[in-house]
């Protein structure tokens, strides 16, 4: 696991440097600032019982849209943070040129969101943790490849911690015997099965 984290950090550093080199105006502290905003939105989402994903769209250093997952409250599987943010901007009649927008999102956009972002013509995307089940920006499919550059791993540990908090403790829909460190429980079960 430590090797995976080191590899992720190395890939993130190389990808981040490539994007910074492409745009000399970039300041890594600004990326950190906007990802913190997305993490705050994700934290608020988990407190509402939503999957902890927050998204912030930024143009020229100004937040133009933000959102957090609302799938449980809306009982609508399409209410992902990225789409909630885009819809909020459209509802407010903000004239956003998405080609100039940078997205900061706590989790890799899923296949649905990555496809929508490609259609918008997004400038680029930074995400926290990978989405190993539904990722549309490299983990499962790479829908962003010809549409926009994407860098994963920005504040990854904090994004993963929010997911652990949601799935291990805060999600009332998870059976009580499955709460807590599920990796440790699976390992114990696997060890007992060997005899």
């Amino acid at each position: 696991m430590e090797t995976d984290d080191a590899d992720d950090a190395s890939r993130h550093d190389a990808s981040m440097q490539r994007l910074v080199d492409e745009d000399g105006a970039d300041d890594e502290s600004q990326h950190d600032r906007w990802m913190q905003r997305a993490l705050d939105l994700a934290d608020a989402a988990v407190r509402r019982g939503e999957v902890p994903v927050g998204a912030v769209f930024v143009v020229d250093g100004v937040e133009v849209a933000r959102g957090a997952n609302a799938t449980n409250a809306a009982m609508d599987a399409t209410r992902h943070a990225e789409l909630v943010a885009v819809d909020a901007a459209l509802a407010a009649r903000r004239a956003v040129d998405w080609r100039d927008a940078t997205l900061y999102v706590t989790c890799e956009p899923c296949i649905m969101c990555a496809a929508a972002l490609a259609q918008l013509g997004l400038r680029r995307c930074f995400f926290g943790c990978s989405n190993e089940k539904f990722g549309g920006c490299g983990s499962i499919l790479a829908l962003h490849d010809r549409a926009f550059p994407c860098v994963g791993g920005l504040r990854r540990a904090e994004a993963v911690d929010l997911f652990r908090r949601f799935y291990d403790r805060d999600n009332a829909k998870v059976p009580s015997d499955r709460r807590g460190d599920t990796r440790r429980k699976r390992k114990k079960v696997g060890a007992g099965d060997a005899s």
Side-chain angles (χ1 to χ4, degrees), residues 6-19 28 151-152:
D7 290 346
D8 284 348
S10 178
R11 278 194 300 276
H12 165 71
D13 291 346
S15 296
M16 178 70 88
Q17 191 58 52
R18 222 176 13 261
L19 281 182
E28 197 162 345
V151 175

Side-chain angles (χ1 to χ4, degrees), residues 51-75:
V51 175
V53 180
V56 179
F57 288 89
V58 177
V59 174
D60 295 329
V62 176
E63 179 180 303
V64 295
R66 69 176 178 268
N69 269 18
T71 57
N72 293 337
M75 295 180 62

Side-chain angles (χ1 to χ4, degrees), residues 30-31 33-42 53-59 61-68 81-86 98 101-107 117 122 124-127:
Q30 291 300 310
H31 297 306
R33 170 185 165 216
W34 293 116
M35 184 56 81
Q36 181 59 55
R37 178 74 171 120
L39 287 163
D40 291 344
L41 292 166
V53 180
V56 179
F57 288 89
V58 177
V59 174
V62 176
E63 179 180 303
V64 295
R66 69 176 178 268
E82 303 92 329
L83 301 182
V84 168
V86 169
W98 300 103
T102 297
L103 169 63
Y104 297 89
V105 61
T106 56
C107 184
L117 295 168
L122 186 68
R124 61 188 174 175
C125 172
F126 293 92
F127 64 83

Side-chain angles (χ1 to χ4, degrees), residues 108-178:
E108 174 186 358
C110 71
I111 293 166
M112 172 185 70
C113 291
L117 295 168
Q119 290 297 312
L120 279 176
L122 186 68
R123 178 178 179 213
R124 61 188 174 175
C125 172
F126 293 92
F127 64 83
C129 60
S130 296
N131 183 340
E132 299 298 329
K133 290 186 179 182
F134 307 109
C137 292
S139 291
I140 302 300
L141 295 177
L143 300 176
H144 71 293
D145 270 353
R146 293 190 178 135
F148 57 91
C150 213
V151 175
L154 184 60
R155 313 253 329 241
R156 176 187 175 276
E158 292 160 272
V160 168
D161 284 344
L162 285 169
F163 274 97
R164 284 188 180 132
R165 196 172 105 204
F166 175 75
Y167 284 110
D168 291 348
R169 292 183 295 274
D170 292 341
N171 187 352
K173 294 178 181 171
V174 172
S176 60
D177 65 326
R178 302 248 354 236

